[in-house]
Amino acid sequence: MRGEDAVRLRPPRNAVDGRAVTWWRTQLLVATAVPVVVLGVLGALIGPARTWLLVAAGAVAAAGLACTAFFPAWWFRVHRWEATDEAVYVRTGALWQEWRIAPMSRIQTVDTSRGPLEQYFRLATVTVTTASSEGAIRIEGLDHELAADLAERLTAVTQATPGDAT
């Protein structure tokens, strides 16, 4: 696109909800706890392999706790999103940044979802689907009321936007 038809996008301004950090930490703790418990139980039951299984459980626990302490705060700093009258876009990553942009004229569906942990933390995920081979744009860690308002707004703007003829 050139001239007046070009869409100018600034870096996305909106951060995810602060509760997303705790939600991500909880997900990592659960993902760490499952193999640690399995390895610990196996270590208690299988005498000849006890030492190796318990060492493996300790290593998995240490790695999981390190990830839990570091990554959620980092993700919070680098995940940004924005929805304008022209497009929905997200930016993720610090070392390898990814921008995903969906022009309003290309949006096919807008969905919200809330898994059990998201419900507990009053969060939701908005998924914007286009015909792109790269897949949908997901904005995770939004306050559930903001997510519902965003989905409603995107649906209204998308319906009012003429389709792309290309």
Side-chain angles (χ1 to χ4, degrees):
M1 288 190 276
R2 297 195 180 270
E4 293 178 28
D5 293 336
V7 175
R8 293 255 185 221
L9 299 179
R10 63 183 175 271
R13 293 182 180 171
N14 302 315
V16 298
D17 192 279
R19 291 173 296 196
V21 173
T22 307
W23 171 57
W24 287 323
R25 282 196 173 122
T26 303
Q27 288 179 307
L28 288 170
L29 286 173
V30 169
T32 298
V34 171
V36 168
V37 167
V38 169
L39 289 168
V41 168
L42 289 174
L45 296 176
I46 304 172
R50 177 170 290 131
T51 302
W52 293 109
L53 289 169
L54 294 178
V55 166
V60 169
L65 290 174
C67 289
T68 299
F70 176 74
F71 284 113
W74 181 347
W75 294 335
F76 181 77
R77 284 193 298 276
V78 299
H79 281 66
R80 294 288 181 267
W81 66 276
E82 183 107 19
T84 66
D85 288 341
E86 292 83 30
V88 176
Y89 54 108
V90 294
R91 184 193 72 207
T92 58
L95 300 176
W96 287 272
Q97 284 191 353
E98 178 181 34
W99 282 65
R100 300 286 313 278
I101 302 163
M104 289 296 177
S105 62
R106 304 302 293 266
I107 294 175
Q108 294 179 335
T109 61
V110 179
D111 302 302
T112 59
S113 61
R114 299 179 69 204
L117 282 176
E118 282 178 301
Q119 291 179 47
Y120 179 78
F121 289 107
R122 298 182 328 273
L123 298 172
T125 297
V126 173
T127 304
V128 178
T129 306
T130 67
S132 169
S133 62
E134 292 295 319
I137 291 177
R138 293 174 49 88
I139 307 171
E140 297 179 332
L142 297 179
D143 176 82
H144 69 98
E145 290 177 359
L146 174 63
D149 291 344
L150 177 62
E152 185 178 322
R153 178 176 165 255
L154 291 176
T155 300
V157 171
T158 300
Q159 289 177 342
T161 303
D164 191 353
T166 57

